[in-house]
Structures are given as C-alpha cells and as structure tokens.
Amino acid sequence: MAETTLRNGRARSSSRLEQGLVVLGILALLAAPFFVYPILLMKMLCFALFACAFNLLLGYTGLLSFGHATFFGGAAYFCAHAVKVWGWPPEAGILLGVVGAAGLGLVMGFFAIRRQGIYFAMITLALAQMFYFFCVQAPFTHGEDGIQGVPRGFLFSLLDLNQPLNIYYFVLAVFLAGVFAIWRIVNSPFGMILRSIRENENRAVSLGYSVANYKLAAFVMSAALSGLAGAVKAIVFQFATLTDVTWQMSGEVILMTLLGGIGTMVGPIVGAGLVVGLENALATSGFPVMIATGVIFMACVLLFRRGIVGEIQARWNARRESRSGNKAHG
Amino acid sequence: MADVPDMDSIDLRVVLSARGLRRDFGGFVAVNDVDLDVHHARIHALIGPNGAGKTTVFNLLTKFLEPTSGRIELLGHDITRMPPAAVARMGLARSFQISAIFPHLTVLDNVRVALQRPGGLSTQFWRPLSALDRLTPRADELLDAVGLTDVRNKLAVDLSYGRKRVLEIATTLALDPKVLLLDEPMAGMGHEDVGTISDLIRSVARGRAVLMVEHNLSVVADLSDWITVMQRGKVLATGDYPTVAADERVKVAYMGMEEG
C-alpha cells in the first residue's frame, strides 16, 4: 500500500513537471517568431508534426514504414493543386491533402500490414517509389518543376496568410492540434491496444484482437497526420515539389524520430528541430548536408539508441529510482 | 464440496474436438491423423516425448497454424478455416510456452487489455485512458484471485518468472474462456510455484475445459482427469492416468525400450 502511494505521488509530481514543461514550450513557440526567422520556424513545425505522425506508427505500434514521404509529399501536391488550379481556400486545400494522404495510407497499409519487420519496410518503400514515379510522370505535378506559386490566400476568408505572423500562428495552431491528436490517440483505449500489439503481437491475437485491423487503422491515422504536415508545408512555402516524395524524405523522418527518441512524445519534435536547424546552418557553408546527417545517424545508433529525449528520460528515471531507493533504505 | 452434485462438474459434453487433424511442413508430417475430444469441466493433459507434435496440435487448435487437412469444432461450430482472433473471441483462450505478457505495461494494464475488447472499448481513439477505469475493479478482482495485488502497478517485465506465468493465466481468465489451452504451464517453474499454479489450474477448470501440454509427469498425474499421449505426430493412447500408465506402448515411448 505504501509503495502504491509513493508511486502515485511520484507519478503526480512528474506529470506536474511535464505539464509545466509543455506550457513553457508553448510559450516559447508563441514568442519565437520575434527572435527567429519565421519561415525556418514553420519548416521546423511542419517537419516536427510529420515526425510525430511517423512516430505514432514506429514508436507506439512498432511498425517501421519506409514510405512516409508518399503521404507528406502527396498531400503537398493535392493541396497545392487544389489551391492553385481550382482556387480552393487554404483550409479546403489542406483538408483535401489530409483526406488524400489517408486514402494513400489505406492502400499502402492494406498491402504492407500483412508482412512484418524488414518485409513491411520493403513493401512500403516499393509502393512509395511507385508513387514517386507516378509524380514524375503525372501532368498535374509538373514533373521536375513542381507546382510553383501557390497562393496562401485567406484562412476562412478572414485571416490574411500572407502576413508573416498570421501564417506563423496558423501553422503553430495546426501543429499543436496535430500533436494533441497524436497524444490523445496514444493515450486512449485504442492506443493501449496498439501498445499491446507492439509489446507482444501473438498475445494480442490470442486475446481476440484482429491485429491487422488495428495496424491498418494506425497506419491510416499516421498517414493522414503526415499529410496534414505536408499540406501545411505546401501553403507555407507556396510550392510542392518532387523532393517531398523521394525516399530520402522517408529516410529523413526516420532519422529525426530516431535522433529525438522513438516512442517519446517530444523526441520527434526535438529531432526534427535539430535536423532542420542543422540543414539550415549548413546550407550556406557548402558542407554536404548528407554527410552530416549520415554521421549523426551512425552516432545515434552506436551511442544513444534511445535518442536525445529518450536518453534524458531514462537517466532522469534512473536517478529518481536510486534516490527513492536510498530514502527507503536510510 | 457440496453433497448435491454441481451441474457443471458432471456435465461432460465435448466443447472442442478435432478429427483427422494433419499438418505437413514440407515433406515432414508433424501431426498425423489426430483425433481429440476436450470435455467441459475436465483437465485434459497432452503428453509425449519431445518432437511428438504437442505444440503443433496446440497451434492448430488455436488456429495459429492452418491444418493441412482435418476438421476442428469449437462448441459445435466448425472453426477449421477461421482466423485465430475470431476463434479467441468465441471463447478459446491459450497461453504460450514462453510467458506471453506485455512486458512494458503494468500488471494492471496487462489484465485490462484483455477486458477491453467487449463493449467497443478497444477502438475508441478519441477518449482518454481514464475511460478504462471502469474495468479496474474487475481487473483487481482477477489479480486478487491469483495473488498479484501487491505488484499491480509494477511493470510486468519486472516480475519473477513464476509470477509472469500467473499473470498470463490471470489475463487469460479475464476473457472468461470456455476452453483454456495451457502450453507447458510449469515449464521452468520453481518447486514452490508448481503448487500455486496447480491450485490455480484446478480452480480454473471448475467452470471450463482445460487442455494442457505438460512435461512434469507428477503434475500430470496429480491434475489431469484425462490424458492423451502423442508420439511422432500420432496419438498413441488416451484414457485416465492408470489406463495410460499401464499401456505398454506408452512405457516404450517414454523409456525408449524396445518391444519384446
């Protein structure tokens, strides 16, 4: 009984700490555009949401997809096309991007979830490459040129997204809503089943869960949220190009998630911020970005597999365990 | 217990049956023409030397493996071509040779995951985890019944081997299965744990059918009402313990003696 109280007390104090950090983080993001170039911040936010959506699948369901660029870049194309060619308002374009990405996720997930581990990754990669070549050929994507000059327009015909602060706070709102949605999914009855599938798939089957359906649902959710990030990015940068559907993009989101910490809520955000920041810093130096990210990737796998946030969490927990252990003995 | 016989305990209807069950792996016949009847409220042991095909039979009955031929019926329904999760939902629960738990969930959550399925609580992705709180009393009841209350908030991975096994059984019981298949429940168990698990299995079998694979023959002798002996993929003998123990072929199979 005493142990239970202690544990609850500890859980409560740690959740209060977490709440404090979240509030602090949101305040920092609200103030950030006054200190940092907003375009860079918005790029970080889009990739952070993308990485969080990817982590929903890798970290909380245990599925390594190597084809998530399809949803990110695909949604960017759908949104850009709808806004530029059909003259849709930005919110409708983004919604189309999300629905389109969910549809692509349904197809890719349907073929991939029947396989496990490396085979799952290979199928997602193969399908993503098919989508890439479709984008190279399809007339509406304009091949190598991409869709350029997408108008930002007015959000709900009210808010002028051409104003830097307006669009920044819009992107921030989408980012927070997206991350909240992921947090909610992870910490829901459904998320509990996802975690149990990750922990022991056969056991979940023997308890009567049709794991294929749960995996597919998680895959579609992850695809839709990745699409949200990609569609918003198209509005921010006013273009959609082939870069976002290449396999390198799928690899980059894996790197971001791994670097920040798989299966942690904040890890992918930190990882995305670091990778985008690094690319930005190296862009003017002439040093090849691929070499830098490659070295980081190797260091991450060799030295801190839990990622930055995962490592901090583990050390923090270990310190607290030992301290409470000492207290109990002393 | 009572003078008036409990209807359940004298009800010996067949709840799970297999006819002509066969499974090939390439050219190797792992299970060959096996007939098996599992009765309600009876502990049925499946024994035999290593490689006799016991675990394969288990995987076939629970549909984790597709039979090459033969027919399986659960509670009168043909389940031969059903997926394993659907069979589990019909009331056939199993344990695994290696303790099947969710290591990084708490003991309480391990049990609650099993309780979550009925009532659509497993697909709600928009509700907070506190939606599961109404399952907690039932989960605590089950943990109390198997004596795991003191570790309910620990991660399952931190339990001792024996207690992981107990947790697995508690999780399985949360499904309230009609038929319970236990794959070597005593494997790797310390002497003091064997008694606990035996008592648990005996109390569990009161309301349901139990089929178990077990190597520990004293446990088999002590617990089982009915025994099926397998060798090289075939059923060698079936009957109660004295019948089976007296069977010459069984003696040969176990002692490795030549006939004559």
Side-chain angles (χ1 to χ4, degrees), chain A residues 276-322:
Chain A
V276 172
L278 183 77
E279 282 173 358
N280 188 62
L282 291 180
T284 48
S285 74
F287 187 81
V289 177
M290 289 288 267
I291 292 184
T293 49
V295 169
I296 292 176
F297 187 83
M298 287 196 296
C300 194
V301 170
L302 291 173
L303 301 174
F304 52 107
R305 289 201 177 178
R306 279 185 282 233
I308 295 169
V309 175
E311 207 67 41
I312 292 173
Q313 266 181 7
R315 299 240 168 113
W316 176 262
N317 287 342
R319 229 182 75 190
R320 215 163 28 176
E321 285 289 313
S322 73

Side-chain angles (χ1 to χ4, degrees), chain B:
Chain B
M1 233 188 331
D3 292 332
V4 185
D6 182 358
M7 280 312 285
D8 271 345
S9 69
I10 55 164
D11 182 2
L12 283 180
R13 66 202 143 93
V14 175
V15 285
L16 176 67
S17 80
R19 287 290 170 270
L21 207 55
R22 178 190 172 102
R23 169 72 200 205
D24 303 347
F25 293 105
F28 174 68
V29 186
V31 170
N32 192 359
D33 196 25
V34 164
D35 293 346
L36 197 67
D37 284 316
V38 180
H39 292 80
H40 181 71
R42 188 146 108 171
I43 299 177
H44 188 150
L46 193 57
I47 64 171
N50 281 330
K54 306 178 298 282
T55 295
T56 309
V57 166
F58 248 55
N59 285 331
L60 291 172
L61 292 175
T62 49
K63 302 312 315 303
F64 275 72
L65 276 177
E66 281 289 312
T68 307
S69 62
R71 180 183 164 87
I72 308 166
E73 272 187 19
L74 175 64
L75 305 166
H77 299 280
D78 184 357
I79 61 162
T80 317
R81 298 289 159 210
M82 258 189 207
V87 172
R89 288 195 290 270
M90 282 178 66
L92 179 66
R94 71 170 293 179
S95 73
F96 292 82
Q97 233 171 63
I98 302 153
S99 283
I101 51 164
F102 303 118
H104 296 99
L105 301 185
T106 64
V107 169
L108 179 69
D109 281 339
N110 262 272
V111 179
R112 287 206 307 193
V113 164
L115 292 170
Q116 229 178 300
R117 194 167 36 73
L121 255 182
S122 52
T123 51
Q124 298 178 345
F125 60 85
W126 58 92
R127 290 182 69 183
L129 272 181
S130 55
L132 298 177
D133 283 351
R134 64 186 172 86
L135 303 176
T136 307
R138 175 73 186 129
D140 276 331
E141 227 172 88
L142 285 157
L143 288 176
D144 188 45
V146 299
L148 286 178
T149 307
D150 57 320
V151 289
R152 79 194 270 273
N153 294 319
K154 277 198 175 170
L155 290 184
V157 69
D158 294 333
L159 298 188
S160 71
Y161 188 85
R163 299 195 97 180
K164 278 181 189 153
R165 264 272 124 102
V166 172
L167 172 61
E168 188 187 359
I169 293 175
T171 309
T172 311
L173 289 179
L175 302 174
D176 195 19
K178 308 277 191 305
V179 187
L180 188 58
L181 271 61
L182 303 171
D183 198 354
E184 297 192 30
M186 307 296 178
M189 207 65 88
H191 189 69
E192 64 288 351
D193 288 325
V194 168
T196 320
I197 308 267
S198 290
D199 292 343
L200 190 55
I201 293 174
R202 205 173 280 125
S203 73
V204 160
R206 240 164 248 152
R208 52 180 62 90
V210 173
L211 176 68
M212 62 175 188
V213 168
E214 187 48 60
H215 280 297
N216 187 333
L217 285 183
S218 68
V219 169
V220 170
D222 178 41
L223 270 182
S224 343
D225 306 303
W226 203 252
I227 296 168
T228 297
V229 188
M230 284 187 70
Q231 189 193 21
R232 292 198 200 104
K234 288 189 164 176
V235 172
L236 200 60
T238 191
D240 56 9
Y241 190 80
T243 317
V244 168
D247 193 299
E248 281 304 317
R249 290 166 305 169
V250 174
K251 282 185 192 164
V252 171
Y254 263 90
M255 302 303 172
M257 290 184 299
E258 291 300 318
E259 269 176 279

